[in-house]
Amino acid sequence: MGERRNRRARGDGGERLREASRTPLGGVRRAQMITTYGVGSMVAIGDQSYIISGLDTWNVDGSEAIYEPRLERWLGVQGFQPPPAANPPSGDGVRVRLFPEFYSCANCHDLKQFRKFGSPRGKSQCGACEKPLTPSRFVIACENGHLDDFPYFDWVHKRTDAAGSSQTSRHDLSLHSTGRTASLRSVVIRCSCQKEASLEGAFGRRALQNLGIKCQGNRPWLGRGAEQAGCEATPRTLQRGSSAAWFPINRSALSIPPWSETLQKRIHPHYKMLKTLLEQQVGDDVAMEVIKGSGILPGSNFTPQEVLEAVRRRWRLEESEQPDPHGHEMFESASRLRREEYEKLTYGTATVDRGDDFECTKPPEDPDSPLPIGVGRTMQVQRLREVRALESFTRVEAPDPATVEHRKAAVARAATGWLPAIEVSGEGVFLTLDMQRLHDWETREEVLLRANRIRDNHTAALRRRAMATAGSDEIKKIESPVSARYLLLHTLGHALINEWSLEAGYPAASLRERLYVSGEMAGLLIYTATSDSAGSLGGVVAQGEYKRIRESLKSAMNRVSWCSQDPPCMETDTGGVDGLNLAACYACVLLPETSCEVNNIFLDRAMLIGASEDDSMGYFTSGA
C-alpha cells in the first residue's frame, strides 16, 4: 500500500500529481483496507501523514475478482475486487496523497504547507534548519465527508479581529507551545503581522461556524478539482488520528445456495455471456456448444445440460428479486439479504458438494440435554463464506439509518463499477429464539418501558443528525427501529462471544455476530471473523451441540448476572454514545469493535437476566 508519486506530471482536474514510483511507502493488511485504512482515511507512515486515494487510482488485479451476486445487486455494482497486495508484482497498488498539507518545524516553529519547506526529496525535514517536520495534528471535517486542513490563518485573524492586518504584505504563521498546561490553551499560533491566538475552544461544535468559517467541500482523497461547492454542513475540528475522522460503511453478505454451490461458482466468470445467449433465444444445442468451449466443464463432473439449467435458474432468480430500496430506516439486520440468509440457516443444507461454500446442519438431538428454555433452534454451520465490501464512509458522526444515504462520501471521481471487498471463510453457530416465549416476554410492560428508554434516546439522536438534511415534518416522522427483541438478541450475542472465547479456542476479536431481527425473525449467528484458514478449526461449530449450548448459555448468564462495575453499571440511567446503552460496559458485555455489528451500542444486560429492581423481567429468568 501507499505508493507516493515522485516526478511532477499533470493529472486529472489540473492537479500537479506525482508519477508513481515502484517503492512502496508502507503496507497494511488487506482486511484493514476495508475496515481501518479505506478510501478517504488518513494513515501515518514514518514521519509523514497521507490520505488513501480514490478507487480510480487503485491498481487492482482483475483476475482476483470476488464473486457474490446477492451483494452486487444490493449495492448496484458489477463486482468486487480485493485490495491490491502489499507488494504487487507490477504497478503501484494503492496510491496515497500527502495530507494534511500543513506541517510545522519544532526548531524554527514555522507552520506552512509541506511544499514550502523546501524539504529534500524523499525526506520530511525543514529546508532551513534541517530538522524533522511534523504533520499538523488538526484537521477539519463535516458530516458530509468533506475534509480539509485546519484553517490556521483564519483562526488567528478572525479570532483577534484583525482589522487592517490584511494590509501587511506577509502573513507567516508559526506554531508554539507554552508548556504551561496540557490543554489547547498552551498551543499558540502566531502570525508575522503580530496577531496570535491559542487553539483553546477549537473543538467546540460551532467554534468554526461562529467565526464564519464554512466547509469548502474539499475531498483531498480524490485530488484537486474534486471539491463539492455549496456544502451547508458545519465544519468541526478533529484530531488527525481521531476515530471520528473516518467511519467506514461496510456491507456484507453470506454466500448461500444456490450462489454458494460449486456449479454457480464455475459459471460466474462466464455468466454474462451465457445470459446474453438466453436473451437472444438461441437454441439449446448452440448454447451447449458455447458452454463446452467456455472452460466451465474441465475438471468437473457437470454436463453441458446441467450448466445450461443452472444458468436459467440464476436468470430466473435475478428476474424475481428486487433489491431493497435505499433510504429505509430499518437496521441491516432486517434487510432482504438477511431474510434470505435466515431461511437457509434455519433449515440448513440437505446435500453439499466438496467445493460448496455453505454447509449448515442441525445437531443430533440429545434426550438427556434438550435445548435450553428460550432457544427455539440451533444449527451448526460447518462452512460459510462472507463477503465484506466497503461501500462508502462518513465523518464526524457514525453512520445511522436516518441520514446515512445523504452523507455517503464518494470513493472515486466517477463510478468504477466495483467496490473493494474481502472474503471471510470460517464456521459458526446459528440459533433462534422460541417465538412464543419471545412474544410473551417482549409485550410485557416493564420490558417495553426499559427498551423504550434506549429507543427514545436513539430517536432523539437520529432527529438531531437529520436536521441538516431534512425538513421539520420529515424529522418528526423519524422513529428508531430499536426494539426489546433487538436489544435481547444483540446482548445475547455479546454474552455468548465472551463465553465462547474462553471455550472455543478463539479470542473474542476473532469471533463476530450477525443479527437477524424483524417481526418474523429472531436469530443470531456467531462465526469466526478471520480471513484465513484459521477460521475453521471446529471449535465454534462444536458449541452448537445441544449439551454445549445449554451449558455455555447457563455459564454466560451467570457471568453477566454480575459486573465488577455494579451497582452503577446495572443501575445507570444512560450509557454509551448518545445514551444508547443501559447495563453494559467493558467489564461485562462490550466487545472489540470488530466483533460487533453496530459499534457496541444497543446493549442491556437486563434484557437477559433482569434488572436489580426486577429480576423476573429478563428473558432467561422470566416465568413467561
Side-chain angles (χ1 to χ4, degrees), residues 245-319:
W246 192 78
F247 293 105
I249 300 176
N250 294 124
R251 306 298 188 190
S252 66
L254 298 183
S255 294
I256 57 174
W259 318 114
S260 61
E261 296 171 356
T262 304
L263 179 52
Q264 287 292 343
K265 290 162 62 179
R266 283 180 167 268
I267 288 173
H268 182 69
H270 313 278
Y271 174 68
K272 291 181 181 178
M273 177 265 294
L274 296 175
K275 178 183 174 181
T276 300
L277 293 178
L278 296 182
E279 291 173 337
Q280 295 173 350
Q281 298 182 345
V282 303
D284 287 4
D285 292 342
V286 175
M288 285 191 283
E289 285 299 320
V290 173
I291 290 171
K292 290 178 182 178
S294 66
I296 297 175
L297 300 177
S300 75
N301 295 322
F302 300 115
T303 65
Q305 184 64 43
E306 289 174 332
V307 173
L308 185 59
E309 288 303 317
V311 173
R312 286 196 173 112
R313 180 187 179 193
R314 178 167 173 176
W315 189 22
R316 288 194 298 268
L317 282 172
E318 287 184 350
E319 292 294 319

Side-chain angles (χ1 to χ4, degrees), residues 135-157:
S136 171
R137 289 170 52 194
F138 310 107
V139 297
I140 63 171
C142 79
E143 294 181 5
N144 293 330
H146 301 135
L147 186 68
D148 207 347
D149 278 276
F150 184 84
Y152 291 104
F153 179 88
D154 289 342
W155 179 261
V156 171
H157 295 86

Side-chain angles (χ1 to χ4, degrees), residues 570-571 606 610-615:
M570 179 58 78
E571 297 177 1
S612 55
E613 68 275 8
D614 184 7
D615 292 343

Side-chain angles (χ1 to χ4, degrees), residues 102-113 116-117 126 128-129 133-134 170 172-176 190:
F102 268 76
Y103 276 62
S104 62
C105 175
N107 186 58
C108 64
H109 302 290
D110 280 359
L111 175 65
K112 54 189 176 184
Q113 292 176 320
K116 294 182 179 179
F117 276 99
C126 180
C129 57
L133 298 176
T134 303
R170 292 179 62 86
D172 297 324
L173 300 178
S174 57
L175 175 67
H176 303 266
R190 295 174 183 165

Side-chain angles (χ1 to χ4, degrees), residues 91-272:
D92 53 354
V94 176
R95 291 183 179 179
V96 297
R97 301 174 190 270
L98 193 72
F99 188 86
E101 293 186 11
F102 268 76
Y103 276 62
S104 62
C105 175
N107 186 58
C108 64
H109 302 290
D110 280 359
L111 175 65
K112 54 189 176 184
Q113 292 176 320
F114 180 81
R115 58 185 174 82
K116 294 182 179 179
F117 276 99
S119 176
R121 179 173 295 181
K123 295 184 179 181
S124 176
Q125 67 182 38
C126 180
C129 57
E130 299 184 349
K131 297 296 183 182
L133 298 176
T134 303
S136 171
R137 289 170 52 194
F138 310 107
V139 297
I140 63 171
C142 79
E143 294 181 5
N144 293 330
H146 301 135
L147 186 68
D148 207 347
D149 278 276
F150 184 84
Y152 291 104
F153 179 88
D154 289 342
W155 179 261
V156 171
H157 295 86
K158 291 189 176 185
R159 279 199 94 189
T160 55
D161 189 22
S165 67
S166 59
Q167 298 175 3
T168 305
S169 59
R170 292 179 62 86
H171 290 280
D172 297 324
L173 300 178
S174 57
L175 175 67
H176 303 266
S177 178
T178 65
R180 295 173 185 171
T181 69
S183 69
L184 290 176
R185 183 184 304 175
S186 295
V187 181
V188 178
I189 310 300
R190 295 174 183 165
C191 181
S192 57
C193 71
Q194 306 306 312
K195 298 293 181 180
E196 68 175 51
S198 77
L199 290 181
E200 183 180 18
F203 284 82
R205 181 175 290 273
R206 301 194 178 278
L208 300 176
Q209 183 184 53
N210 292 339
L211 294 178
I213 299 173
K214 298 182 179 180
C215 177
Q216 301 300 313
N218 286 330
R219 300 185 292 181
W221 65 97
L222 300 181
R224 302 191 189 281
E227 298 82 5
Q228 285 184 314
C231 179
E232 298 295 331
T234 301
R236 295 274 301 276
T237 303
L238 300 174
Q239 291 267 16
R240 173 164 49 87
S242 167
S243 60
W246 192 78
F247 293 105
I249 300 176
N250 294 124
R251 306 298 188 190
S252 66
L254 298 183
S255 294
I256 57 174
W259 318 114
S260 61
E261 296 171 356
T262 304
L263 179 52
Q264 287 292 343
K265 290 162 62 179
R266 283 180 167 268
I267 288 173
H268 182 69
H270 313 278
Y271 174 68
K272 291 181 181 178

